[in-house]
Amino acid sequence: MSTTTIPSTHSAADLATLLPVRKPRPIADFLSTYVFSKDHKVIGLQFLFSTLLWFLVGGLLALAVRWQVAWPWSDVPVLGKLFAQQGGQMSPEFYTMLFTMHATVMIFLVIIPILAGAFGNFLIPLMIGADDMAFPTLNMLSYWFMWPAFFAFGASFFVEGGAASSGWTSYPTLSTNVAASPGSGMGQTLWLVGLTMVGVSSMLGSVNYMTTIILMRAHGMTMFRLPMTIWAMFITAVLQAFALPVLTAAGFMQLADRTLGTGFFSPEGNMVNNTLTATGGGQPLLWQHLFWFYSHPAVYIMILPAMGMVSDILTCFARKPLFGYRPMVYSIAGIAGLGFIVWGHHMFISGMNPALGITFMVSTMMIALPSAVKTFNWLGTIWGGRIQFTTAMLFALSFVSMFIIGGLSGIFMAATPVDIFIHDTYFIVAHFHYVLFAGTAMGVWAAIYFWFPKMFGRTMNEFWGKAHFFLTFIFLNGTFFTMHILGAVGFPRRLADAYHYETFHHLQPLNAFMTWCAIGMVTSQIIFAVNFFWSMFFGPIAGRNPWHANGLEWSAPSPPGHGNFDFQPVVYRGPYEYSVPGAEKDYLMQTDPPNAAAAMAAAAAH
Amino acid sequence: MHVLTTPPFAGTDRGQQLFQAHSGGVWRAFTLVFALAFTLGCGATPPAYFRLNMVEATKQHLTTQQEEQVSTVLLAMFGTPDEPATLPEMGLDAAKLKLAAGPVRSDIVGRKNGLYREHCAHCHGITGDGLGPTSAFLNPYPRDYRPGVFKFKSTERADKPTHADLLRILHNGIAGTSMPSFALLSTAQIDALAEYVKYLSIRGETELSLMRAFFELDDDAAGKLPQTREFLVTETLAVAAAKWQGASAAQIAVPPMPADIELVDSIAKGRTLFYGEKANCVKCHGVTGLGDGQANDYDDWNKAIVEADKEVTGGERRAQEAQTSGMSPEELKEHREQIAWLEKFTRVLDGDALKPRTIPPRNLRQGVYRGGRRPLDLYYRIHAGINGAPMPAGKGTIPPEDIWHIVNYIRSLPYEFDGELGADRPLVARDRF
Amino acid sequence: MRSRLLGIIWSLVFLAVPVLGVATFAIAPAFDIWLPKNVSEHGPTVDGLFMFILVLTGVVFVVTEGLLFWFLWKYDAAHAQGPATYRHGSHSLEVVWTILPAGVLLFLAIYQMNSWADIKMRRPAMSPTVEVVGRQFEWRLRYPGRDGMLGTPDDLFIVNDLHVPVDEDILVQLKSADVLHSFFLPNLRIKQDAVPGMKIPVWFKATQTGEFDIVCAELCGWGHYKMKGHITIESREDFDSWIEKKYAEQESTQPVAEPSDAVAIAD
């Protein structure tokens, strides 16, 4: 491929002549390069490492939850030492804390930051041909605002009463009154602080992404030549900007209820555990509305970027253009737009006016439509392709496969009469684990395997990558698929001991099987961890474009230096020109200048 | 990552080398990580154990050897939480204890064992000391069985509850507290749990007697308890156990409610008595019956901690004021021992006792009756008072028909809507919502 | 070049999804892992809807996952000949697969509105049969007594043990004493959150006698799992005599004569 002759402004020779000589300041330089860096790639990697670490924490919390569900009141490994006097048996309030923090960590410290913070940061300027984000300092702050959140959530485990224990949904009056649940003391206050910090980080990020994508695209990069990753990141950023303020406000209101004695969410005379709430006159349902107004768009924030990245990966390894580019873009916009008017489907049973059950049912049913359109278009993308079964491709395919399950199970919940039965049962747990874990997390792994060469200049080991995929795929389905039928039995969520009810006695062996699969799944991630760190230092060196992909990022060096491109990128076509008839290679990069003969042949063939 | 500070370079395109596995190194790293993960997790927790009553042990100035003596004796007589032991003097059924004790598991016929640990231990503690992991977060605190004092029963104030009383509490729970109703367990299971509560209580009282016995020892006993069966069993354990066995005999004889008076008149009479000097209910329960008469008293369990706290504070003050300069060597040694004891007691009170709370008198307008809502239950409460709590016994002071009148008045209180006790007092109305 | 065998293996891994997925749902009922026995009048509507959606989504599931498998099998680079199909989409296909699912989903939504209204919006005109108050961690029940009114001295107070007559409209007044709870009767296909500060009506009609569970279905604290109750559905005569019996016990002024200490006293 040819490069233009425009000289880079960042070559060594230029730097030497342009910059004044200055005293070397090792510590300050180290800090500004690796710690408080404003380079979007470093920030992206900081997000990546932090979130992967919290992924481990969240996974271990999940294992403790699964242990109790499968073998209640038995000696818990490792954690049993905390309950030595009882012979290792965990106490029920500890269990409520476990599932609360598992969900909190996974949602706010893993999925949201890894999609937007890690991949959004790393990929957006590279994919649009910019040399960095629009606001590099703001970008750095967006990462460092996560650290107070890390401290807040981490410290909450060690305060009196333990970490928050009223579910990640924190419904009052359980969460607002310290007498209602042990974790509703300092633990819940720290939880709210952490939530606010994550919210600020996300908002700073979303402003940055929107501005960068709108204003800093390379020459020739029109909106409809953007890769799906960028469209997804862009629309996700819009979602964040509009939805987050509501959650932040609700968080402040709950903090005020807990510390300043206001009564937004507690009714008059509310007494819990023989302790009177300070004031009243409020409504618990108000929190639910405010919370879900954000948290429903949040679930789309947690999947749209993965959908975008999967589109890019599928096209690359099917060697085919994306089927239905514009419908795909409109679907993402449709999901985001409709996502703002469906929040009540989390509240069908909550005591809100049942008439709203009708309106939210209609909008919720309709939101299945754009997701269905996307799924059909992915199938259309691999149809007629030349599929390469690389690790990234396998994960991307499993995203599609698992998303079908997650999406279809959502239709049951949208049906309000059915929701009467399955609300707060394991059917719901199955649904969101399929979309979030079997969907988004698989998409995240696909993205890691795909863009690892760009991030670190080396490729990950393909054999171990496929082993990781195979084991994860088997074990996750073993853990989560049968949760659908558990839900059909009516097996409720968040119970420390469901076998207290005779009707659920016979489900213990199934739960034990699921827990074994969960243990297998978490253990299999060791393969990924070893592969990840090993390859970072000892993997085979990758060139600029090991996958022969089309995106702008693949024309930059691996890894890109400061300023990203060593030439001035100009875009001549869309991102999915694979297997163009008449071209000598099966891919045509966005930056490849048009070749007259190839262009004429392509025009003739089409 | 050093490439970021050096000028960018054009990487070579070595697509062919993509799929080479560096298997050797990866296997080694993999094994290492796996081994680490397993060693961290392995090792089962040791079996559950009874905790010594450290507050009493410290209060009695027991040495470590003396504490060990007590533990050994208790282990021999009562066994462990997993394997309870019985002696005939206890009057307990070993089979029922077996059902209640141990970790939660099912035996070969599928019958659930470990009932106590499944249902009770996380509040009442493995030792029955009311110090389970959940206990600090409950209001009121869960019962500590060790002093052998129980509040809601059908016997005279100072007597133990009957077995049927325990069954009733398990069956109905205690309204207005965190003690749930276990009505949905089988009869055999509730029975086993009641038996195990008695076991823990007898064990607790025996422990207290043993600890207090050190004070009575002669000097030539050299700080050791007599090892005779006569002392350990007959004089200590059997005394506590006998009270349980004699509980049924101490049941309150309840005369029938007076039949020759209309309910309305009885209620009026009860009202007069409620406000009268003989019963003097308003002193604690308040002129409005809202339980706002006074709120400064403690129940026995909290009182013990409050007094211990006072002892520690007083002792610390005295120790600080003491003039160490003019002391003889023996006095100095005593002074230092005292300080060490005070520090130990402070630690024990921090770790082994819950923060004391006052006991509010019952709000009678709420219609929540902890010991049961039958007229019979209210009769028991007024006649015998509430053992362990400041509610005094009316026996001897208030004649039985008067007790019945008061009972009728109290039962009418939640429904009485006087002019001044209206909807603006949310704690008053039965229907707060 | 990678062998064809690997491609086959990966395709089969993805084929396992619809195969095992359908198999799981097919064999679960044989292990008694399925919708619990229904004893309520509106239950068949709920169950019927569940099954309809199951079949509908099941068909879509099998078709889409099947297509995924088929494309992976057929278009494996290791065995397919020639370049990939250079196609950016199909306008007509987009129209079809937008309009068709939209129609189905809209139909599904409209079809269910009536059932939802029956269960949650069309309250029968009657006074409450029983008041259920969720409290950490028990269900406190209050029957109105002979005068038919709640809040009078002849009310009957029970804990965790709900009785209702069969084949009659039942109206429950649901409240919460402290935090959110949820009144879930699996066998009656009833669920409603109990909200502090609100009085929420719940109605149903039981069609068969028997004893079933009351489950708390909204996290209410550490004892959420302990909030087990029982609902006993019995004939009107049995129900009336049970109420009489319980009321007599509640008003008892003399201890019950016990044959032995080991018998649990009913209350």
Side-chain angles (χ1 to χ4, degrees):
Chain A
M1 82 198 140
S2 58
T3 57
T4 64
T5 50
I6 300 170
S8 157
T9 50
H10 299 288
S11 73
D14 282 23
L15 279 171
T17 52
L18 289 174
L19 292 177
V21 173
R22 76 198 218 315
K23 260 182 14 195
R25 300 179 305 168
I27 297 175
D29 283 346
F30 178 84
L31 284 178
S32 68
T33 307
Y34 295 110
V35 181
F36 297 108
S37 169
K38 296 183 199 172
D39 186 311
H40 71 98
K41 300 181 291 299
V42 176
I43 297 171
L45 290 179
Q46 286 176 317
F47 266 108
L48 185 66
F49 292 133
S50 314
T51 50
L52 285 178
L53 205 65
W54 280 103
F55 203 2
L56 178 67
V57 172
L60 293 174
L61 288 169
L63 279 187
V65 171
R66 277 311 314 171
W67 186 277
Q68 173 72 6
V69 177
W71 304 291
W73 319 125
S74 63
D75 177 13
V76 189
V78 183
L79 288 174
K81 311 263 188 306
L82 293 169
F83 300 99
Q85 212 219 334
Q86 279 90 260
Q89 157 189 335
M90 73 162 78
S91 59
E93 65 276 2
F94 190 77
Y95 180 76
T96 56
M97 184 272 290
L98 283 175
F99 63 70
T100 302
M101 293 313 288
H102 162 70
T104 306
V105 162
M106 287 305 203
I107 291 172
F108 295 110
L109 297 183
V110 180
I111 295 285
I112 293 181
I114 205 174
L115 289 175
F119 288 102
N121 256 314
F122 193 89
L123 293 174
I124 291 176
L126 283 171
M127 284 177 140
I128 66 175
D131 61 353
D132 208 307
M133 288 283 188
F135 306 116
T137 312
L138 205 67
N139 206 12
M140 175 196 59
L141 285 174
S142 145
Y143 174 68
W144 284 101
F145 262 102
M146 291 299 291
W147 276 86
F150 297 156
F151 279 124
F153 288 126
S156 70
F157 284 100
F158 300 103
V159 297
E160 190 191 337
S165 55
S166 39
W168 81 278
T169 43
S170 280
Y171 284 176
T173 48
L174 186 64
S175 57
T176 45
N177 195 324
V178 64
S181 183
S184 296
M186 188 48 119
Q188 180 69 17
T189 307
L190 285 172
W191 188 90
L192 290 164
V193 168
L195 199 73
T196 313
M197 293 291 117
V198 175
V200 171
S201 163
S202 293
M203 277 196 271
L204 295 181
S206 85
V207 166
N208 225 339
Y209 302 165
M210 287 192 282
T211 316
T212 309
I213 291 171
I214 294 175
L215 293 179
M216 292 178 67
R217 285 168 283 130
H219 185 71
M221 179 65 90
T222 63
M223 288 302 279
F224 284 109
R225 281 181 180 173
L226 284 171
M228 287 306 296
T229 304
I230 301 299
W231 270 114
M233 294 290 180
F234 177 63
I235 290 174
T236 303
V238 173
L239 270 176
Q240 295 260 46
F242 281 100
L244 257 174
V246 179
L247 181 73
T248 318
F252 278 133
M253 286 161 79
Q254 200 186 107
L255 256 175
D257 264 18
R258 298 167 50 70
T259 50
L260 299 177
T262 56
F264 292 110
F265 306 123
S266 310
E268 183 80 46
N270 184 244
M271 192 108 113
V272 184
N273 199 5
N274 290 322
T275 317
L276 193 62
T277 308
T279 49
Q283 289 213 47
L285 282 183
L286 177 61
W287 165 268
Q288 293 187 40
H289 281 291
L290 294 172
F291 177 84
W292 286 115
F293 187 84
Y294 165 75
S295 297
H296 192 82
V299 313
Y300 297 119
I301 290 167
M302 290 192 274
I303 198 157
L304 291 178
M307 285 180 163
M309 295 192 290
V310 160
S311 294
D312 286 348
I313 297 169
L314 283 179
T315 48
C316 175
F317 293 113
R319 313 311 288 164
K320 254 198 80 189
L322 185 68
F323 200 91
Y325 178 88
R326 288 204 186 209
M328 286 292 244
V329 172
Y330 297 144
S331 298
I332 291 195
I335 292 173
L338 279 171
F340 276 104
I341 56 169
V342 296
W343 81 89
H345 66 229
H346 300 272
M347 297 171 61
F348 285 144
I349 309 296
S350 65
M352 74 174 178
N353 190 329
L356 292 173
I358 307 271
T359 58
F360 281 116
M361 165 158 72
V362 176
S363 53
T364 307
M365 283 289 183
M366 293 324 293
I367 206 169
L369 180 64
S371 307
V373 167
K374 290 189 77 66
T375 309
F376 299 140
N377 278 301
W378 283 319
L379 290 175
T381 304
I382 46 178
W383 162 80
R386 292 295 167 261
I387 298 170
Q388 298 174 350
F389 288 105
T390 56
T391 309
M393 181 58 160
L394 288 169
F395 275 107
L397 289 168
S398 75
F399 175 92
V400 178
S401 172
M402 303 286 97
F403 177 70
I404 291 174
I405 299 178
L408 289 175
S409 62
I411 297 181
F412 289 83
M413 289 150 224
T416 34
V418 178
D419 190 57
I420 294 177
F421 185 72
I422 57 176
H423 172 72
D424 237 272
T425 64
Y426 264 73
F427 204 94
I428 312 290
V429 180
H431 165 73
F432 62 69
H433 280 101
Y434 262 92
V435 281
L436 282 177
F437 185 77
T440 301
M442 298 299 247
V444 165
W445 274 312
I448 293 180
Y449 282 98
F450 190 61
W451 278 292
F452 188 93
K454 189 53 56 183
M455 292 177 181
F456 301 108
R458 298 170 184 270
T459 39
M460 288 178 77
N461 184 293
E462 273 292 309
F463 172 79
W464 288 109
K466 288 168 183 161
H468 170 226
F469 165 73
F470 183 75
L471 289 172
T472 306
F473 192 71
I474 301 289
F475 284 131
L476 89 82
N477 278 296
T479 310
F480 297 117
F481 196 79
T482 43
M483 286 188 185
H484 292 106
I485 50 174
L486 272 186
V489 183
F491 197 87
R493 291 171 72 172
R494 298 172 163 176
L495 292 194
D497 178 11
Y499 317 115
H500 205 58
Y501 299 87
E502 283 88 39
T503 21
F504 303 132
H505 263 173
H506 65 298
L507 299 170
Q508 196 272 336
L510 179 59
N511 273 300
F513 165 74
M514 288 155 70
T515 299
W516 281 119
C517 288
I519 294 175
M521 186 167 68
V522 176
T523 316
S524 310
Q525 305 316 309
I526 297 179
I527 301 178
F528 169 72
V530 172
N531 193 0
F532 187 76
F533 287 107
W534 180 277
S535 308
M536 210 185 292
F537 300 103
F538 306 113
I541 302 252
R544 289 187 189 228
N545 195 354
W547 311 120
H548 296 184
N550 280 344
L552 268 183
E553 75 272 25
W554 300 108
S555 56
S558 297
H562 208 52
N564 292 341
F565 297 92
D566 52 358
F567 61 98
Q568 191 73 352
V570 179
V571 173
Y572 299 100
R573 62 186 63 77
Y576 300 118
E577 297 306 298
Y578 293 98
S579 303
V580 179
E584 73 256 32
K585 300 173 301 202
D586 69 348
Y587 66 106
L588 210 52
M589 296 186 72
Q590 288 190 279
T591 46
D592 281 351
N595 181 299
M600 281 200 300
H606 208 54
Chain B
M1 292 230 252
H2 61 281
V3 295
L4 292 171
T5 48
T6 60
F9 63 96
T12 51
D13 200 340
R14 284 197 256 159
Q16 299 303 322
Q17 294 173 353
L18 276 178
F19 299 111
Q20 274 175 30
H22 281 219
S23 329
V26 180
W27 269 113
R28 265 178 261 139
F30 185 74
T31 323
L32 178 67
V33 176
F34 229 111
L36 255 170
F38 270 132
T39 41
L40 263 178
C42 274
T45 321
Y49 56 92
F50 285 127
R51 195 161 41 170
L52 204 65
N53 189 342
M54 285 311 296
V55 173
E56 188 67 24
T58 318
K59 190 161 149 212
Q60 298 293 335
H61 293 263
L62 297 189
T63 63
T64 325
Q65 291 82 8
Q66 291 172 327
E67 286 172 8
E68 274 168 30
Q69 275 183 56
V70 174
S71 296
T72 319
V73 169
L74 288 174
L75 180 65
M77 292 204 284
F78 291 92
T80 63
D82 287 351
E83 314 252 334
T86 51
L87 289 168
E89 285 81 351
M90 287 183 205
L92 297 174
D93 184 333
K96 292 183 192 173
L97 292 184
K98 191 154 171 288
L99 204 58
V104 180
R105 69 215 176 275
S106 296
D107 63 17
I108 26 175
V109 295
R111 185 176 40 213
K112 264 289 198 54
N113 285 38
L115 296 170
Y116 184 80
R117 217 169 293 180
E118 184 182 351
H119 296 292
C120 323
H122 72 94
C123 291
H124 287 285
I126 287 273
T127 320
D129 50 11
L131 291 170
T134 316
S135 58
F137 309 111
L138 301 176
N139 185 5
Y141 291 135
R143 183 57 55 238
D144 174 359
Y145 309 134
R146 295 174 305 179
V149 174
F150 293 82
K151 280 179 160 183
F152 306 118
K153 52 200 176 63
S154 60
T155 54
E156 298 292 349
R157 191 192 182 91
D159 291 304
K160 297 275 188 270
T162 63
H163 190 79
D165 285 337
L166 291 180
L167 295 177
R168 171 178 291 281
I169 292 288
L170 283 167
H171 194 274
N172 299 337
I174 300 179
T177 69
S178 300
M179 172 67 186
S181 153
F182 288 101
L184 299 178
L185 292 182
S186 73
T187 328
Q189 289 176 326
I190 298 182
D191 205 19
L193 284 169
E195 198 77 351
Y196 197 76
V197 167
K198 288 202 289 207
Y199 161 85
L200 287 174
S201 179
I202 295 173
R203 185 184 180 283
E205 274 200 85
T206 310
E207 184 181 22
L208 286 172
S209 313
L210 288 171
M211 288 184 174
R212 288 171 189 158
F214 284 102
F215 193 69
E216 320 268 327
L217 288 177
D218 300 327
D219 287 329
D220 50 317
K224 275 206 177 62
L225 291 172
Q227 298 296 304
T228 61
R229 193 175 201 284
E230 197 215 329
F231 170 76
L232 292 175
V233 179
T234 321
E235 287 177 19
T236 319
L237 183 155
V239 172
K243 289 197 233 150
W244 281 98
Q245 284 149 37
S248 324
Q251 261 202 317
I252 300 168
V254 181
M257 200 186 285
D260 54 348
I261 182 170
E262 287 291 330
L263 184 63
V264 185
D265 299 324
S266 175
I267 291 176
K269 267 203 170 168
R271 188 172 199 279
T272 322
L273 287 159
F274 188 87
Y275 285 90
E277 298 244 328
K278 201 162 44 167
N280 205 3
C281 312
V282 294
K283 171 161 160 253
C284 298
H285 289 285
V287 177
T288 50
L290 288 171
D292 51 3
Q294 61 85 16
N296 301 324
D297 220 334
Y298 294 91
D299 61 28
D300 286 2
W301 301 270
N302 283 292
K303 196 177 287 184
I305 306 298
V306 168
E307 279 167 5
D309 275 338
K310 278 201 205 137
E311 210 183 323
V312 169
T313 330
E316 279 173 352
R317 197 174 21 90
R318 276 192 306 276
Q320 267 192 338
E321 291 169 1
Q323 298 287 3
T324 47
S325 47
M327 282 187 185
S328 66
E330 300 88 45
E331 283 175 341
L332 213 56
K333 179 160 164 281
E334 237 182 74
H335 174 80
R336 286 204 196 96
E337 278 171 0
Q338 175 72 350
I339 293 186
W341 177 79
L342 285 169
E343 282 172 3
K344 179 179 176 198
F345 212 177
T346 314
R347 270 198 317 274
V348 163
L349 286 172
D350 261 343
D352 263 18
L354 297 165
K355 286 198 193 23
R357 286 191 194 131
T358 54
I359 182 166
R362 189 62 47 235
N363 176 349
L364 296 169
R365 299 247 171 221
Q366 264 197 317
V368 176
Y369 307 105
R370 292 197 180 172
R373 69 179 319 117
R374 303 173 301 171
L376 179 66
D377 294 312
L378 295 175
Y379 186 97
Y380 286 146
R381 299 295 96 69
I382 300 176
H383 172 97
I386 299 180
N387 194 12
M391 170 76 182
K395 171 183 177 183
T397 335
I398 313 174
E401 329 85 68
D402 281 356
I403 295 186
W404 280 122
H405 296 319
I406 298 179
V407 166
N408 284 329
Y409 175 63
I410 288 172
R411 296 187 83 227
S412 78
L413 275 177
Y415 304 99
E416 180 195 90
F417 291 116
D418 249 344
E420 68 253 38
L421 309 162
D424 60 330
R425 297 284 295 274
L427 282 173
V428 176
R430 287 296 320 284
D431 233 15
R432 274 203 307 284
F433 314 108
Chain C
M1 197 65 198
R2 169 181 51 82
S3 78
R4 169 78 180 123
L5 178 65
L6 267 179
I8 291 178
I9 294 176
W10 294 125
S11 314
L12 290 175
V13 167
F14 284 99
L15 180 63
V17 174
V19 169
L20 291 177
V22 171
T24 311
F25 273 84
I27 61 177
F31 288 88
D32 197 23
I33 309 178
W34 198 239
L35 294 167
K37 174 175 172 193
N38 168 58
V39 296
S40 90
E41 197 179 48
H42 69 260
T45 319
V46 173
D47 290 357
L49 256 162
F50 182 87
M51 292 308 296
F52 179 72
I53 296 175
L54 184 65
V55 170
L56 182 70
T57 51
V59 167
V60 175
F61 174 60
V62 170
V63 167
T64 43
E65 301 278 7
L67 277 175
L68 180 67
F69 154 74
W70 178 236
F71 295 159
L72 293 178
W73 177 280
K74 183 163 176 202
Y75 299 109
D76 182 356
H79 103 114
Q81 302 295 329
T85 311
Y86 181 72
R87 186 88 179 267
H88 284 95
S90 155
H91 187 69
S92 36
L93 261 181
E94 298 288 347
V95 169
V96 167
W97 68 39
T98 306
I99 302 287
L100 206 61
V104 171
L105 289 166
L106 213 53
F107 164 75
L108 207 54
I110 296 173
Y111 177 67
Q112 293 174 80
M113 287 184 190
N114 201 41
S115 321
W116 172 253
D118 268 341
I119 302 172
K120 288 282 179 181
M121 293 168 73
R122 298 188 186 125
R123 171 162 78 169
M126 55 187 282
S127 59
T129 318
V130 63
E131 178 189 78
V132 174
V133 179
R135 182 184 172 272
Q136 285 184 328
F137 297 101
E138 55 198 5
W139 297 103
R140 303 200 75 84
L141 315 170
R142 185 158 66 134
Y143 286 90
R146 280 191 206 100
D147 64 356
M149 283 203 305
L150 283 167
T152 53
D154 70 347
D155 288 351
L156 173 64
F157 294 86
I158 307 278
V159 179
N160 285 343
D161 188 15
L162 177 64
H163 283 238
V164 295
V166 72
D167 287 324
E168 286 182 34
D169 282 322
I170 310 291
L171 180 68
V172 169
Q173 181 170 281
L174 186 63
K175 301 203 303 212
S176 166
D178 42 23
V179 297
L180 288 173
H181 299 276
S182 190
F183 186 59
F184 180 28
L185 305 172
N187 300 82
L188 286 148
R189 310 293 190 261
I190 283 287
K191 185 182 288 148
Q192 176 55 53
D193 281 6
V195 185
M198 289 174 79
K199 250 195 276 208
I200 301 174
V202 179
W203 57 93
F204 57 89
K205 185 189 268 197
T207 54
Q208 287 179 56
T209 56
E211 259 186 57
F212 307 101
D213 286 326
I214 306 175
V215 181
C216 180
E218 182 61 55
L219 179 67
C220 50
W222 57 263
H224 174 50
Y225 73 100
K226 266 187 167 155
M227 265 183 83
K228 174 166 109 154
H230 253 190
I231 175 169
T232 305
I233 306 169
E234 51 196 358
S235 67
R236 172 42 82 166
E237 301 80 51
D238 285 344
F239 173 72
D240 284 339
S241 59
W242 177 81
I243 296 262
E244 293 288 334
K245 180 168 129 236
K246 287 287 166 191
Y247 190 73
E249 280 170 23
Q250 182 182 283
E251 301 297 309
S252 50
T253 55
Q254 287 295 311
V256 177
E258 310 136 37
S260 82
D261 263 358
V263 172
I265 296 186
D267 188 30

